[in-house]
Amino acid sequence: MNVTKNARILVFSTVKISDPAIDMAGLLKLHYSPKVYTISVPCSSAVKPRWILRALAKGFDGVFIAADGTDCPYGESCTEKTGEIVKKTHQLMKESNIDPVRLKMAAICSVCSESFIKHINSFNDTLLKLKTTE
Amino acid sequence: MKQRIGVYICHCGGNISDYVDVEMVREAVAHEKGVAIAKTTVFACADSNQKEMVQDIKDNQLDAVVVASCSPKLHEVTFRAVVERAGLNKYNYVHANIREQVSWPHSDNKAGATQKAIQIVRAAIAKVRLSEAIEPLEVDTTQAVLVIGAGIAGMKAAIALSKMGVKVYLVEREHFIGGRIAQWDVLCLTNETGKELVSRLYNEIVSNKNITLYTGAQLIECKGSMGNFAVKLKLNPRYVKDICNDRASLRKAIDVCPVEVPDEFNFGITKRKAIYHNFPGEYPQAAVIDMNSCTRCGLCAKVCDKIDLDMKVEDLELNVGSILVATGFDPYTPAEGEFGYKVIDNVVTLSQFKRLLAFSEPGKLQWKGKPVKNIAYIYCVGSRQVEGENKYCSRYCCTATINTALKANEKFPELNHFHFTRGIRTYGKQEQLYHNASKSGHVFLQSYEDDPSRVERKGDKTIVRINDILTNRKELEVEADLVVLVIGMVPRSNNSVADILKLPRGRDSFFNEIHMKLRPVETVIDGITIAGTCQGPKNVVESINSALSAAIKSYSFVGKDKLMVEPVVAEVDPNLCKWCDKCTRACPFDAIFKNEQGVAHVNDTVCKGCGMCLPVCPTNAIQLKTFTDNEIESMIDVLANEL
């Protein structure tokens, strides 16, 4: 069992866009770490910084926002707004001496299963390196 | 807080239980706070289990339920209905996805998968424990449907909807309706021509008071949501007033036009003028000027007073309750040199060959002035690609090719047909055509995908070679007068509709349904359905079947003047709000306003539940129903705290 080798990652994904991509990764039997957990929200611009900070405080090594990007069904401002959330949270993390690298965001479209796996694997590697240096 | 929770963990046949120890999951969650019963079930969605759940809820006075099974996209609706049947509020149900996000992606790690499943079910229990009973919101519905695309699927869907008493706006980007069907001659099995089919449907549409048809119309904007979409169309003029009945002057106008461009109706094998009056099978039977090619020389206007080069593009706004998308497909365009395409001059596509047959006079078939006797058909061009992106079978092409070849023989009896296949797929009743062709002397050869047929030029001859697996890989060759590339279907290259409606695409780039078996015409965008070949390759029969399904589904959104919608809306705590205006600026739907008390207030019927207002509030005064801080943070706490 290799679960101990993996970082614990919380993914905020979106019901209509990135959830289908993550589901399809499963359908295609694309493997990733079982330490990756998903909480679905309607839109990536709805993620509150306090949720991210809580996840990090409670033991998650990293938080990944699987953003809607330009595919957001609620409007084109989503990319900018999600970016603002990440910027604001990074600032709060710095103030609390949390390495900002522990929060990552990438746009995951509804068929971006392979891209999701790539992002999550590379985030996993980054977080593991961070743990080693700490 | 819920205190009598029922938890059901599904085997999904073996889809889950082959990789997740479902009994271990059950044991791990059975003693979670508030759990009254925890069961495993072979198929949670089975009718027998649903009945058992209803009985359990009643017998055990359950106040909330969790089902851990497949993606909520498939069965969240099913289980919400189950709890409702047992008298519970459907929002006291939470779905845990342990198939797509556990057993399948972690099939390489059973222990890890089981541990993750336990955590996910615990998180769902934590959420449902805090769930509140909320009632769906009732919104007024616009009892009209926008059907985009007036091909065979769009036309049939429009007619079906109109018969249900719904107002239909049928919108076609081109100036002529009928889509691809209008371009085909005799269709298989029924022996009707595409023209006959289109004529019949067109007459039905124009005589139907419930259908308004717009040609030359493009969707340029869509706002709103299920029940109330506000769409904007751009109406491109024909530059010919009304329907010009003066055929003689119109003919003169076409004759004097100095511009000639490849005719897309005939897939470029003939030319047309910038002003053109399309083929008899195309409706409306009115001329149009192609402004992308027109030089505005004015010669046509001098001979026909119905021509008006100053006609302007108009915008039109419509309100509809549902949108049915039937935008069709593009034929695959082979790359230059692919089986000699555009390099050898007697290599054509199946679409071009069908048009050639349609307008050629009976007798001797000719291509570029030379007689045609031997025809070689190369199958699966642009479909079932080994190296390209199009891994799928295009379904229609084997049948269409054999049907075309058989019909060609009726018009040109001297033709010889050589089919270079990768295995014939004339499924269902269409197999009879294959049988007929074989009996009629058509020669069928077959190659593997890694050893395709080859088209070569040898002197002034075109040779097609194959290592035929039906004769033990013997190399066989045919000297062909015409090579027909049997091209597949690809998604529309110009599909702005998808971008405007934010329609998700599948791996094949066609539009994606929620579930190909269980919800085959619905998209994840509520109120928008898909039909026909925009969803993936289909033949005419299959397109019509999907169109009728989509029509009924769209009707279910607009059939009544009120629609019950998800009450997942934002809510402001007036005691916390200090009114800073940030939420109103963040809301893309203008759903938040300052009320008489001087604090923010959400208009429930306008709010779409996106949650964009949540993170911008400096006092954390806004909560989104079913995604409240308490619910999300309880899930975070559980997921972070592994057992």
Side-chain angles (χ1 to χ4, degrees), chain A:
Chain A
M1 193 165 93
N2 62 359
V3 290
T4 50
K5 287 183 196 164
N6 292 310
R8 294 162 74 188
I9 299 171
L10 180 65
V11 178
F12 283 107
S13 71
T14 67
V15 174
K16 290 181 179 170
I17 305 298
S18 50
D19 269 1
I22 301 173
D23 281 356
M24 193 159 76
L27 178 71
L28 299 171
K29 305 277 167 72
L30 299 175
H31 300 309
Y32 54 95
S33 158
K35 294 290 177 186
V36 175
Y37 293 100
T38 301
I39 291 182
S40 299
V41 289
C43 169
S44 49
S45 303
V47 177
K48 289 185 180 179
R50 60 179 273 165
W51 299 346
I52 299 167
L53 295 174
R54 188 176 183 111
L56 296 173
K58 289 285 179 177
F60 276 103
D61 298 310
V63 172
F64 180 84
I65 300 180
D68 284 331
T70 52
D71 286 355
C72 179
Y74 298 107
E76 287 166 7
S77 61
C78 179
T79 308
E80 192 191 324
K81 284 174 180 160
T82 311
E84 276 301 314
I85 292 165
V86 171
K87 195 173 150 192
K88 187 175 165 186
T89 314
H90 274 158
Q91 190 56 42
L92 293 169
M93 289 166 77
K94 279 181 199 162
E95 288 168 14
S96 304
N97 289 321
I98 302 168
D99 194 329
V101 83
R102 292 173 65 189
L103 169 61
K104 185 178 175 178
M105 176 195 77
I108 302 292
C109 74
S110 60
V111 290
C112 294
S113 307
E114 282 165 10
S115 164
F116 170 73
I117 301 295
K118 208 171 149 188
H119 279 298
I120 220 70
N121 286 344
S122 105
F123 191 39
N124 185 54
D125 292 346
T126 306
L127 294 170
L128 288 177
K129 270 184 207 157
L130 194 69
K131 278 176 101 172
T132 316
T133 53
E134 280 172 354

Side-chain angles (χ1 to χ4, degrees), chain B residues 402 406 432-444:
Chain B
I402 294 173
L406 286 168
Q432 188 60 43
L433 290 172
Y434 180 33
H435 178 71
N436 293 348
S438 302
K439 266 185 21 186
S440 310
H442 291 225
V443 177
F444 288 89

Side-chain angles (χ1 to χ4, degrees), chain B residues 339-414:
Chain B
F339 297 105
Y341 186 68
K342 286 199 171 169
V343 174
I344 300 172
D345 70 356
N346 57 348
V347 175
V348 297
T349 65
L350 177 65
S351 313
Q352 291 171 325
F353 179 58
K354 287 166 91 159
R355 291 307 309 153
L356 174 71
L357 290 175
F359 65 69
S360 295
E361 293 298 323
K364 288 198 184 293
L365 183 65
Q366 293 203 330
W367 173 250
K368 295 194 173 174
K370 292 179 187 167
V372 174
K373 193 166 182 198
N374 289 348
I375 303 178
Y377 303 89
I378 315 262
Y379 282 64
C380 299
V381 178
S383 304
R384 302 169 70 197
Q385 291 177 322
V386 177
E387 290 180 2
E389 290 295 308
N390 306 343
K391 303 296 180 200
Y392 52 84
C393 163
S394 286
R395 297 179 68 85
Y396 87 105
C397 14
C398 282
T399 304
T401 306
I402 294 173
N403 182 54
T404 304
L406 286 168
K407 294 297 167 196
N409 260 127
E410 289 174 12
K411 206 166 176 182
F412 308 101
E414 291 178 6

Side-chain angles (χ1 to χ4, degrees), chain B residues 191-473:
Chain B
N191 278 337
E192 272 172 311
T193 63
K195 180 178 130 181
E196 286 165 350
L197 218 52
V198 172
S199 302
R200 199 188 308 164
L201 294 174
Y202 177 76
N203 289 330
E204 214 172 319
I205 284 165
V206 291
S207 62
N208 190 319
K209 284 180 192 162
N210 277 347
I211 305 176
T212 306
L213 171 66
Y214 296 101
T215 56
Q218 265 178 289
L219 179 75
I220 55 171
E221 193 179 290
C222 177
K223 288 182 177 172
S225 57
M226 180 169 68
N228 290 290
F229 291 102
V231 299
K232 195 185 270 185
L233 305 176
K234 184 173 94 174
L235 303 179
N236 296 305
R238 303 182 88 86
Y239 302 97
V240 180
K241 284 184 227 162
D242 308 322
I243 289 178
C244 178
N245 291 322
D246 184 355
R247 298 280 160 189
S249 71
L250 191 61
R251 187 69 254 163
K252 270 188 208 163
I254 294 171
D255 288 343
V256 297
C257 176
V259 179
E260 275 200 335
V261 291
D263 186 352
E264 53 278 71
F265 189 84
N266 284 335
F267 299 97
I269 59 173
T270 58
K271 302 236 171 183
R272 66 158 167 79
K273 297 293 185 72
I275 173 170
Y276 60 105
H277 185 269
N278 235 328
F279 289 79
E282 284 227 278
Y283 292 93
Q285 292 192 320
V288 63
I289 294 177
D290 164 15
M291 268 303 159
N292 291 326
S293 313
C294 176
T295 59
R296 289 183 174 268
C297 67
L299 290 174
C300 56
K302 285 179 189 163
V303 295
C304 178
D305 62 3
K306 291 283 186 185
I307 289 168
D308 179 1
L309 295 173
D310 296 324
M311 278 180 153
K312 298 277 183 283
V313 172
E314 290 174 23
D315 282 351
L316 176 73
E317 290 180 7
L318 298 171
N319 293 308
V320 294
S322 174
I323 300 174
L324 189 154
V325 180
T327 48
F329 72 98
D330 275 340
Y332 172 76
T333 305
E336 189 170 312
E338 188 176 357
F339 297 105
Y341 186 68
K342 286 199 171 169
V343 174
I344 300 172
D345 70 356
N346 57 348
V347 175
V348 297
T349 65
L350 177 65
S351 313
Q352 291 171 325
F353 179 58
K354 287 166 91 159
R355 291 307 309 153
L356 174 71
L357 290 175
F359 65 69
S360 295
E361 293 298 323
K364 288 198 184 293
L365 183 65
Q366 293 203 330
W367 173 250
K368 295 194 173 174
K370 292 179 187 167
V372 174
K373 193 166 182 198
N374 289 348
I375 303 178
Y377 303 89
I378 315 262
Y379 282 64
C380 299
V381 178
S383 304
R384 302 169 70 197
Q385 291 177 322
V386 177
E387 290 180 2
E389 290 295 308
N390 306 343
K391 303 296 180 200
Y392 52 84
C393 163
S394 286
R395 297 179 68 85
Y396 87 105
C397 14
C398 282
T399 304
T401 306
I402 294 173
N403 182 54
T404 304
L406 286 168
K407 294 297 167 196
N409 260 127
E410 289 174 12
K411 206 166 176 182
F412 308 101
E414 291 178 6
L415 294 177
N416 299 316
H417 303 276
F418 301 91
H419 301 260
F420 292 77
T421 79
R422 281 183 39 203
I424 288 292
R425 296 183 172 183
T426 44
Y427 55 93
K429 292 177 182 175
Q430 302 156 159
E431 185 72 2
Q432 188 60 43
L433 290 172
Y434 180 33
H435 178 71
N436 293 348
S438 302
K439 266 185 21 186
S440 310
H442 291 225
V443 177
F444 288 89
L445 309 157
Q446 188 176 339
S447 63
Y448 285 126
E449 63 275 13
D450 58 351
D451 186 16
S453 307
R454 298 162 318 269
V455 183
E456 294 158 10
R457 197 73 179 152
K458 200 172 175 184
D460 62 346
K461 295 183 168 62
T462 301
I463 308 294
V464 183
R465 287 201 172 85
I466 188 171
N467 293 326
D468 177 40
I469 61 172
L470 304 178
T471 50
N472 199 21
R473 291 208 181 218

Side-chain angles (χ1 to χ4, degrees), chain B residues 502-521:
Chain B
K502 307 287 183 195
L503 285 180
R505 297 169 187 270
R507 281 170 65 81
D508 54 10
S509 292
F510 288 97
F511 296 153
N512 215 6
E513 67 286 318
I514 291 180
H515 187 278
M516 63 170 70
K517 293 176 188 138
L518 302 173
R519 299 172 74 181
V521 295

